[in-house]
């Protein structure tokens, strides 16, 4: 299945995508993760986008679309994929429609108040990228990754001013995609506010139904 996970920052797209990706054995492709990897490795792309990510603004469409097009050519994406955080503008959605077919767009619904709580408590492993939350998904040992023992850090764009900006950018530039994909009958709405295990179960049920109707 070729899937898109959309929704505001902190809706749980990355957390749920990594679980569903394991379950369905299809790759989880997050443009945010690809940019953060480039920043960590100080590649020309990373140097170009570092300040954009820190502010919560969007990377230009041509740069983002080029990266996704290259990633989708890799062998592991032939039998399906989860795009997390892409597309984020109508221009990106139009570009994507010229590259591949999309079977469903999972739209995670979460209120702003919970989003702010989730993002301000998020911690990421500097080494392997695993995600945690100080209250909702704490690591066994504070500040240390359960998976690899790496150091946990707070994303620069999880500072409160950047969170507010990301919510505004989402409202203005990304949320019009919901109507865009609803008109194509591809939207699958999911309540993203319960705990991660419940949301994962709900998404899997909805995807099983989608597969049965294809
Ligand atoms: P990106 O990395 O995509 O960030 P985002 O969309 O702001 O989304 P987040 O990763 O913050 O939220 P999420 O929904 O994945 O939530 P998560 O699962 O982590 O993009 C970063 C930046 O890159 C953008 O601002 C932009 O600059 C650039 N960029 C990326 N894509 C682009 C594009 N297409 N075009 C242009 N620019 C682009 O969960 C959040 C927290 O909550 C975690 O701590 C988690 O543990 C916790 N949590 C999650 N789910 C639950 C749950 N169900 N219950 C309890 N806690 C939960
Ligand atoms: Mg994410």
């Amino acid at each position: 299945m070729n899937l898109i996970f959309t929704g505001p920052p902190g809706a749980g797209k990355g957390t749920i995508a990594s679980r569903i990706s394991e379950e369905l054995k299809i790759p989880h492709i997050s443009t945010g993760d690809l940019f953060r990897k480039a920043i960590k490795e100080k590649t020309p792309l990373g140097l170009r986008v570092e300040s954009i990510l820190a502010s919560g603004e969007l990377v230009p469409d041509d740069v983002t679309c080029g990266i996704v097009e290259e990633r989708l050519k890799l062998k592991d994406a032939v039998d399906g994929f989860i795009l997390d955080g892409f597309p984020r503008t109508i221009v990106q959605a139009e570009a994507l429609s010229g590259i591949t077919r999309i079977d469903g767009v999972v739209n995670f619904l979460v209120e702003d108040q919970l989003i702010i709580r989730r993002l301000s408590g998020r911690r990421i492993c500097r080494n392997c990228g695993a995600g945690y939350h100080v209250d909702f998904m704490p690591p066994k040992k504070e500040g240390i990754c359960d998976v690899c023992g790496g150091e946990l850090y707070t994303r620069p764009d999880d500072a409160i001013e950047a969170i507010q900006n990301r919510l505004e950018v989402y409202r203005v530039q990304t949320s019009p995609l919901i109507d865009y994909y609803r008109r194509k009958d591809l939207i699958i709405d999911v309540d993203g506010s319960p705990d991660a295990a419940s949301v994962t179960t709900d998404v899997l049920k909805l995807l099983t139904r989608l597969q049965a109707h294809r």
Side-chain angles (χ1 to χ4, degrees):
M1 262 187 297
N2 296 351
L3 302 169
I4 292 170
F5 280 15
T6 195
K13 303 181 295 293
T15 303
I16 308 301
S18 75
R19 296 176 183 210
I20 303 276
S21 146
E22 274 181 33
E23 200 67 41
L24 300 184
K25 313 250 178 306
I26 52 176
H28 166 204
I29 301 172
S30 154
T31 38
D33 287 350
L34 293 173
F35 290 135
R36 280 184 290 277
K37 181 166 182 279
I39 292 169
K40 188 178 167 199
E41 292 170 357
K42 300 194 187 325
T43 65
L45 170 71
L47 296 174
R48 179 167 175 197
V49 303
E50 186 165 15
S51 63
I52 303 179
L53 262 81
S55 70
E57 293 297 316
L58 295 185
V59 173
D61 287 330
D62 57 335
V63 176
T64 311
C65 291
I67 284 167
V68 172
E69 185 165 8
E70 287 310 306
R71 178 62 187 85
L72 289 178
K73 282 182 190 157
L74 299 188
K75 250 204 248 147
D76 66 342
V78 170
D79 294 328
F81 51 79
I82 301 171
L83 281 173
D84 157 15
F86 181 93
R88 251 177 160 94
T89 63
I90 299 286
V91 172
Q92 292 179 13
E94 290 286 340
L96 182 64
S97 71
I99 299 172
T100 187
R101 170 198 92 240
I102 294 298
D103 299 313
V105 179
V106 181
N107 178 35
F108 292 85
L109 303 159
V110 178
E111 297 292 331
D112 282 7
Q113 226 183 340
L114 182 55
I115 286 176
I116 292 170
R117 194 160 168 221
R118 281 188 182 174
L119 293 180
S120 45
R122 174 165 54 188
R123 300 292 180 269
I124 313 272
C125 174
R126 209 178 275 288
N127 182 45
C128 75
Y132 298 88
H133 189 281
V134 289
D135 301 318
F136 304 133
M137 267 173 251
K140 292 196 184 94
K141 208 168 155 200
E142 200 188 320
I144 305 288
C145 177
D146 292 349
V147 182
C148 74
E151 179 204 0
L152 302 186
Y153 81 107
T154 302
R155 271 171 47 176
D157 58 345
D158 283 344
I160 189 70
E161 313 77 57
I163 294 176
Q164 301 287 8
N165 192 32
R166 285 158 65 203
L167 284 169
E168 187 57 22
V169 167
Y170 170 78
R171 264 181 218 111
V172 175
Q173 302 195 55
T174 306
S175 67
L177 286 176
I178 299 169
D179 272 347
Y180 173 90
Y181 283 120
R182 217 180 279 287
R183 282 196 293 273
K184 297 182 189 292
D185 204 20
L186 288 173
I187 289 282
I188 303 162
D189 286 314
V190 173
D191 178 4
S193 52
D195 62 88
S198 308
V199 178
T200 305
T201 307
D202 290 347
V203 172
L204 278 172
K205 270 191 208 146
L206 291 162
L207 293 179
T208 307
R209 221 178 286 164
L210 173 71
Q211 211 158 17
H213 285 97
R214 276 172 61 214

